[in-house]
């Protein structure tokens, strides 16, 4: 079976995906290319066999070539590596342009020399920008990124589709909503809320707390990626969603309950500049064409996630 090259495989979603591949596709040889930024942790892959680790930068063609050499010709690629935190992109955007934009183009350029069987680019529902109540963005919706992170991801999506058109790269794109689960660096909403609640500190809530996100378990996302990797159509974008729309206040209250803290242990803090109010991807295409749907229950999996952080960060 062709090997699988996973960029960003030491990060949150990438590491969970490598574990999922090991469990569900045991014959697959995996090569991970990861720079090990603050968000990556080699230990996330501990205990896994048939995983070759290459430390390197997706924006460096020599590093990328080393990873493709390790994976061999005809490999399949899942490209997760990115700078992924919106607040950091607002503070400083240079790394986002280097990794998300230049890095994606370098991956596409090098992939041309290795006859890749499939190139799956992992993108985000944030490229559609904020939507009014009741509206959903399908894959034809206009891209409307409104912060430097989502703008860099939208740019990378365009580069991937351009490589399909101009170089015949057999690429596909997934655009998923907000993930939760183990291995996430504690700067993002769910692990920040969990670790603060465990420390007995008030949960910091941006603005009025009524921002709406669709939440999906990281393994439901991983299974969607496998479905698109194996059965997706070249040049096609697939939205991925949990059909689970929650305000930040709702999620914070569930976390407080799971930790056993007071239900009002929250403080409203200064809002993120240009904060998008609501994301809502329409994922009818992947459900109808590939038969994928999320299967994990939000409240019980969120409680399991709280326990996972409790064992490590309490
Ligand atoms: P993460 O920040 O947890 O992990 C990113 C990984 O990429 C880390 O291991 C890091 O070391 C690595 N990396 C960063 N820069 C690199 C570089 N220049 N070269 C090689 N490796 C590098 O991110 P995540 O939350 O796991 O997100 C993974 C992908 O999924 C991203 O492309 C993101 O845009 C997308 N996505 C994330 C979410 C979410 O809810 N977290 C939702 C939809 C899409």
């Amino acid at each position: 079976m062709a090997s699988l090259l996973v960029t960003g495989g030491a990060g949150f979603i990438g590491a969970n995906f490598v574990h999922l591949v090991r469990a569900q596709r045991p014959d697959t040889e995996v090569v991970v290319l990861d720079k090990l930024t603050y968000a990556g942790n080699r230990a996330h892959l501990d205990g896994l066999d048939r995983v070759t680790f290459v430390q390197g930068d997706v924006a460096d063609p020599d590093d990328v070539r080393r990873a493709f050499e390790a994976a061999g010709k005809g490999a399949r690629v899942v490209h997760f590596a990115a700078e992924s935190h919106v607040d950091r992109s607002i503070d400083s955007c240079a790394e986002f342009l280097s990794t998300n934009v230049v890095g994606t183009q370098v991956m596409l350029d090098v992939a041309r020399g290795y006859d890749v069987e499939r190139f799956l680019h992992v993108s985000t529902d944030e490229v559609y920008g904020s939507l009014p109540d009741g509206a959903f963005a399908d894959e034809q919706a206009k891209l409307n990124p409104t912060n430097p992170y989502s703008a860099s991801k939208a740019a990378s999506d365009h580069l991937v589709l351009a490589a399909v058109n101009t170089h015949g790269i057999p690429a596909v794109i997934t655009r998923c909503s907000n993930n939760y689960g183990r291995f996430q660096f504690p700067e993002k909403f769910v692990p920040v809320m969990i670790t603060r609640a465990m420390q007995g500190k008030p949960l910091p809530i941006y603005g009025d707390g009524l921002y709406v996100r669709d939440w999906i378990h990281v393994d439901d996302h991983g299974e969607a990626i496998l479905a698109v990797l194996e059965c997706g159509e070249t040049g096609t974008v697939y939205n991925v969603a949990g059909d689970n729309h929650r305000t930040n206040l709702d999620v914070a209250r569930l976390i407080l309950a799971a930790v056993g803290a007071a239900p009002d242990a929250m403080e409203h803090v200064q809002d993120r500049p240009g904060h998008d109010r609501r994301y809502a991807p329409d994922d009818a295409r992947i459900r109808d064409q590939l038969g994928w749907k999320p299967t994990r229950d939000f409240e019980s999996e969120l409680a399991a996630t709280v326990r996972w952080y409790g064992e490590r960060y309490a």
Side-chain angles (χ1 to χ4, degrees):
M1 178 174 282
S3 58
L4 184 62
L5 171 55
V6 179
T7 72
F12 165 43
I13 306 175
N16 278 289
F17 178 71
V18 175
H19 280 265
L20 191 83
V21 168
R22 276 276 62 81
Q24 298 192 5
R25 301 291 184 274
D27 293 341
T28 302
E29 295 288 339
V30 179
V31 175
V32 169
L33 170 62
D34 199 296
K35 187 177 173 183
L36 296 180
T37 67
Y38 75 95
N41 186 344
R42 181 78 179 76
H44 289 160
L45 303 172
D46 279 356
L48 294 179
D49 61 357
R50 305 178 74 178
V51 176
T52 302
F53 188 81
V54 177
Q55 184 166 359
D57 185 342
V58 290
D60 180 331
D62 291 334
D63 289 351
V64 172
R65 258 181 237 110
R66 276 195 296 129
F68 272 97
E69 281 297 318
K73 289 217 172 196
R76 293 174 300 166
V77 179
V78 181
H79 178 42
F80 291 100
E83 287 292 333
S84 65
H85 191 40
V86 174
D87 290 348
R88 285 179 188 259
S89 78
I90 292 169
D91 288 345
S92 169
C93 198
E95 290 294 319
F96 288 73
L97 297 181
S98 172
T99 293
N100 301 4
V101 183
V102 176
T104 297
Q105 186 61 48
V106 170
M107 286 292 300
L108 292 163
D109 288 343
V110 177
R112 286 168 58 199
Y114 286 86
D115 298 331
V116 293
E117 184 184 316
R118 173 64 77 212
F119 187 111
L120 189 152
H121 175 62
V122 180
S123 188
T124 166
D125 65 348
E126 299 196 26
V127 297
Y128 299 118
S130 193
L131 299 174
D133 283 349
F136 289 84
D138 68 13
E139 294 84 352
Q140 276 82 44
K142 180 173 166 282
L143 300 194
N144 183 29
T146 53
N147 60 62
Y149 162 68
S150 56
S152 70
K153 292 296 291 188
S156 66
D157 288 14
H158 285 306
L159 292 171
V160 171
L161 294 174
V164 174
N165 185 53
T166 56
H167 297 299
I169 297 275
V172 285
I173 296 176
T174 55
R175 293 186 182 138
C176 189
S177 55
N178 277 33
N179 287 218
Y180 68 95
R182 64 180 175 169
F183 298 153
Q184 193 169 28
F185 188 77
E187 65 178 357
K188 302 271 176 66
F189 183 78
V190 164
V192 164
M193 297 295 135
I194 294 173
T195 47
R196 294 270 300 192
M198 286 184 320
Q199 292 161 357
K201 294 180 181 165
L203 307 196
I205 302 292
Y206 276 145
D208 61 8
L210 298 179
Y211 294 94
V212 175
R213 299 291 183 262
D214 174 78
W215 288 94
I216 183 170
H217 190 269
V218 67
D219 289 337
D220 279 327
H221 185 191
E223 287 172 354
I225 287 172
L226 272 182
V228 174
L229 186 69
E230 293 170 355
C231 304
E233 197 178 320
T234 292
T236 304
V237 177
Y238 296 88
N239 287 346
V240 180
D243 193 18
N244 175 41
H245 301 268
R246 308 267 178 171
T247 65
N248 287 352
L249 277 180
D250 284 343
V251 179
R253 285 191 189 113
L254 286 170
I255 289 170
L256 287 169
V259 171
D264 59 350
M266 295 184 242
E267 61 181 359
H268 291 269
V269 298
Q270 190 175 1
D271 210 346
R272 166 188 290 167
H275 203 161
D276 283 342
R277 194 68 171 165
R278 176 175 173 271
Y279 299 133
D282 173 344
D283 67 349
R285 173 179 287 169
I286 187 172
R287 289 174 185 248
D288 295 348
Q289 294 184 9
L290 304 185
W292 170 90
K293 62 178 191 308
T295 58
R296 291 163 180 86
D297 173 67
F298 181 62
E299 297 196 7
S300 57
E301 291 294 346
L302 187 64
T305 303
V306 169
R307 287 195 295 280
W308 187 87
Y309 281 95
E311 286 159 15
R312 282 151 192 87
Y313 292 92

